[in-house]
Amino acid sequence: MAPTRLNPQVDEHLRKAEKWQEESEKLRRIILECGLTEESKWGKPCYTFQNSNVVIIQGFKEYCALLFCKGALLKDTNRILIQQTVNVQAARQIRFTSLRQIVEMAPIVKVYIKEAVEVEKAGLEVNYKKASEFTMPEELQNKLRELPALKTAFESLTPGRQRGYILYFSAPKQSKTRESRIAKYTQKILDGKGLDDEYASTRKTKSTLRRA
């Protein structure tokens, strides 16, 4: 199958990447040969099937990765999928440390991508744990006690948005970093927005915070 149309935003992203350029470009070609649509989301090359996110190319210090958005639903016959942390429910990674490794694993990667597409075609969904089943970081608990308006706003969010914040705030190992993340997103929570929602602040919520 011939590669589908290249996305100019992804071209720009790969051109500016400080690391894993060749590896990411090879992953890109492999993915496009599977017939997915190339988009740019969250500053990453993202590949979709009928508007559903399937895989994302990621670059880290020690490795680059192909993130399967519903990797938990794949059979993982070759035992190569990695769960980033215990709190990650749906996504799974295949990690690479060299271009040669990607070339050698290309046939297997395509099998995994095609299986991921079949998951989308079947309409399968990950059975997510409820937000109440996760342990809320102490720093967030303290902030909610400190600011009643924030507590009210957080509890008014959808379960999925609450879950997203809890996982994001819990991820850093250092308390200082967790506190910094909470401070950065406090206004967004007050605005009723989720972690990945478009930010839009309002004077009303800011004044509410000052009165809390």
Side-chain angles (χ1 to χ4, degrees):
M1 180 184 295
T4 56
R5 187 173 60 181
L6 303 181
N7 187 302
Q9 290 180 300
V10 174
D11 286 334
E12 185 69 8
H13 169 79
L14 295 180
R15 186 181 67 81
K16 292 182 177 180
E18 297 181 359
K19 199 172 183 181
W20 309 112
Q21 285 184 330
E22 285 187 289
E23 290 81 0
S24 296
E25 186 62 48
K26 180 59 179 178
L27 286 173
R28 180 191 198 187
R29 295 290 174 177
I30 291 171
I31 297 167
L32 290 177
E33 286 172 4
C34 295
L36 297 183
T37 300
E38 184 172 72
E39 301 182 36
S40 178
K41 297 184 180 182
W42 310 290
K44 305 289 183 183
C46 179
Y47 300 84
T48 65
F49 174 78
Q50 295 181 356
N51 298 319
S52 294
N53 301 328
V54 178
V55 290
I56 299 172
I57 296 176
Q58 301 174 309
F60 298 90
K61 183 178 179 180
E62 303 295 336
Y63 61 87
C64 63
L66 190 58
L67 182 79
F68 289 80
C69 299
K70 294 182 181 178
L73 299 180
L74 302 183
K75 297 175 183 177
D76 193 18
T77 306
N78 295 84
R79 298 289 184 264
I80 56 176
L81 294 180
I82 296 173
Q83 183 179 8
Q84 291 167 274
T85 69
V86 295
N87 286 329
V88 174
Q89 297 183 74
R92 298 290 187 272
Q93 292 177 327
I94 299 179
R95 296 178 180 178
F96 308 94
T97 55
S98 69
L99 178 61
R100 179 179 177 179
Q101 185 183 15
I102 294 173
V103 172
E104 292 176 349
M105 291 183 63
I108 295 174
V109 171
K110 287 182 180 180
V111 170
Y112 275 63
I113 293 173
K114 290 175 181 178
E115 184 184 352
V117 171
E118 291 303 316
V119 165
E120 293 301 332
K121 287 181 179 180
L124 302 181
E125 297 292 341
V126 175
N127 184 22
Y128 288 100
K129 292 166 60 178
K130 297 178 181 179
S132 59
E133 296 180 68
F134 289 95
T135 301
M136 184 180 293
E138 183 178 351
E139 294 80 4
L140 180 57
Q141 294 180 47
N142 292 338
K143 184 63 69 173
L144 297 183
R145 282 194 294 267
E146 177 186 340
L147 302 173
L150 182 63
K151 184 176 187 295
T152 299
F154 185 82
E155 292 176 347
S156 297
L157 295 173
T158 63
R161 286 171 174 164
Q162 290 183 29
R163 181 176 61 242
Y165 278 121
I166 291 173
L167 295 179
Y168 182 68
F169 294 154
S170 299
K173 295 181 179 179
Q174 297 186 358
S175 177
K176 182 179 180 180
T177 306
R178 293 194 292 270
E179 290 177 347
S180 177
R181 287 190 175 188
I182 292 168
K184 180 179 179 180
Y185 284 90
T186 291
Q187 186 60 51
K188 199 167 186 180
I189 294 172
L190 287 165
D191 288 339
K193 299 291 185 179
L195 189 66
D196 297 319
D197 292 340
E198 183 179 354
Y199 182 78
S201 62
T202 63
R203 293 181 180 178
K204 180 179 179 181
T205 52
K206 289 180 180 178
S207 62
T208 299
L209 179 58
R210 286 196 294 269
R211 292 197 300 270

